[in-house]
Amino acid sequence: MTDALYLHIPFCAHLCAYCDFCKVLFDEKWAFSYVQALKDETASYGIGKVRTVYLGGGTPTALPDELFAEVLSLAAPHLRAGGEFTVEANPENLSEGKLRLMRRYGVNRLSLGVESASPRLLELMGRHHTFAEAQAAVARAKKAGFANLSCDLIYALPKETLAELQTDLEALLSLRVPHLSTYCLSVNPGTLFAREGRHEMEQSRAAGQYERILRTLRQAGYDRYEVSNFAWKGYESRHNLVYWHDEEYYGVGLGASGYVNGVRYENTRNLQKYLRHNWVASQETVRGASALEYYFLTNLRLERGFDLASFERKFGFSFFPRYQGVFAGLSGQGLLRKENGRVFCSDKGIMLLDRVLLALY
Ligand code: SF4
């Protein structure tokens, strides 16, 4: 059963130096046509009520209020009572007007692109806000009644020191939000960072930064529930857990991906094609070995891994004895564990997830 909906708004007020997401500079002319195409694609799926709705981007809050309200009114009727409705926002365009609109349409979770507190790193990334503006945006959101807030951090930035990272972590902790996502910088072709010839941080140093994040956030009372995601109890992202539990979801919009009726699909990243209703660029029916690969790839990112009984229900055979030998090898290296009917990575296994997955494939 497909029980989650992702809607993509590709528009941004400016483009960040590291960004590899599917995004375009905001242009009013295209934005109106885009929202119409988004409505048409959503209608094409005949979506009923779902447990979670996620409006991501791009920057959904970069839309003018009128269009933003249209998108919210497209998404809101699909949310089941008690469901989670998340919107991504940037500090500089999370206005009181936008917050009021989101309250009106039942949004109950916000994900804010804070990324860093350091003026040097914010400028390097091409972000258009200061940390003081991020603090003010968080305060506005809380005042408007949003308790379920998440903030993003990017680490392993060019020449970033551990001291800079520690300052960023303390700044993020001072925001007192229940969910934090931390992303290691990757330099992807086509980004400004790649064109400037910037490099990713050497793996051992980036691992050192990750360990610092893990230690600091755990000490501060956050649980790591997924490789990059930390939350207070009960504030895990229910929408993102759909992905990590390898469950189905509708993905609508430019460059969105989805998983419906056993088929994974990727939408086009070409705006003109999208506007002409050529939505899907590629698709794959997930079965056999690839179904197992997706299952391990998603579930083993989670601190709790997967439940052996659910595995058996899904695949029609049990994990043991088929993977007994591989499991013994990985657990002998201290990477994979089994406890209370669940299989999951150790801290070391999460750091070396690629090695674990390779052994299981
Ligand atoms: S990081 Fe966010 S705000 Fe920056 S260009 Fe990418 S999608 Fe837009």
Side-chain angles (χ1 to χ4, degrees), residues 107-119:
V107 175
N108 50 27
R109 184 172 183 274
L110 297 179
S111 173
L112 284 178
V114 174
E115 318 307 357
S116 174
S118 150

Side-chain angles (χ1 to χ4, degrees), residues 79-324:
L79 189 70
R80 196 174 302 146
E84 179 191 88
F85 188 173
T86 305
V87 174
E88 286 181 352
N90 271 344
E92 69 272 26
N93 45 37
L94 188 64
S95 64
E96 285 178 3
K98 291 267 176 353
L99 286 162
R100 268 196 303 277
L101 278 174
M102 288 191 276
R103 292 285 293 174
R104 188 184 310 158
Y105 285 101
V107 175
N108 50 27
R109 184 172 183 274
L110 297 179
S111 173
L112 284 178
V114 174
E115 318 307 357
S116 174
S118 150
R120 178 184 88 81
L121 296 175
L122 287 170
E123 191 185 338
L124 185 74
M125 286 188 273
R127 300 291 300 179
H128 281 214
H129 58 85
T130 61
F131 183 65
E133 284 165 340
Q135 282 174 308
V138 168
R140 273 197 303 281
K142 286 184 180 175
K143 192 164 164 231
F146 290 94
N148 195 351
L149 296 171
S150 177
C151 291
D152 290 353
L153 167 84
I154 300 182
Y155 68 97
L157 285 155
K159 297 198 174 66
E160 183 176 8
T161 62
L162 266 181
E164 280 179 308
L165 174 65
Q166 188 66 38
T167 306
D168 268 3
L169 288 169
E170 280 158 23
L172 272 191
L173 290 175
S174 75
L175 297 174
R176 301 287 304 153
V177 296
H179 189 284
L180 297 170
S181 300
T182 63
Y183 300 110
C184 184
L185 177 79
S186 43
V187 178
N188 293 303
T191 60
L192 183 62
F193 270 0
R195 290 199 296 280
E196 289 173 347
R198 296 195 186 271
H199 298 291
E200 288 170 9
M201 189 176 276
E202 190 188 308
Q203 219 183 346
S204 61
R205 280 189 59 218
Q209 296 219 337
Y210 181 76
E211 277 166 14
R212 173 67 64 95
I213 292 170
L214 183 59
R215 195 168 64 238
T216 308
L217 297 188
R218 276 181 172 164
Q219 272 167 6
Y222 290 81
D223 286 333
R224 176 184 63 184
Y225 68 101
E226 191 268 351
V227 182
S228 310
N229 286 277
F230 297 80
W232 295 344
K233 283 237 168 332
Y235 284 95
E236 297 83 5
S237 161
R238 286 162 62 191
H239 182 83
N240 288 339
L241 279 170
V242 167
Y243 305 147
W244 299 318
H245 285 151
D246 194 28
E247 292 167 357
E248 298 201 344
Y249 57 96
Y250 298 101
V252 179
L254 191 71
S257 58
Y259 182 22
V260 178
N261 296 331
V263 177
R264 286 190 179 270
Y265 61 90
E266 298 267 350
N267 275 0
T268 178
R269 283 183 156 227
N270 179 314
L271 183 59
Q272 299 309 322
K273 279 192 181 167
Y274 187 81
L275 295 179
R276 289 198 300 271
H277 289 191
N278 290 329
W279 299 312
V280 178
S282 64
Q283 56 183 42
E284 173 200 2
T285 302
V286 181
R287 60 166 86 92
S290 82
L292 281 161
E293 284 180 17
Y294 277 118
Y295 189 83
F296 293 137
L297 178 69
T298 49
N299 283 276
L300 286 176
R301 298 180 62 85
L302 293 168
E303 191 82 9
R304 298 186 67 230
F306 60 87
D307 173 56
L308 287 165
S310 316
F311 179 96
E312 187 165 348
R313 267 197 306 280
K314 185 171 173 98
F315 294 105
F317 64 88
S318 54
F319 182 77
F320 296 109
R322 180 181 298 200
Y323 290 98
Q324 185 67 55

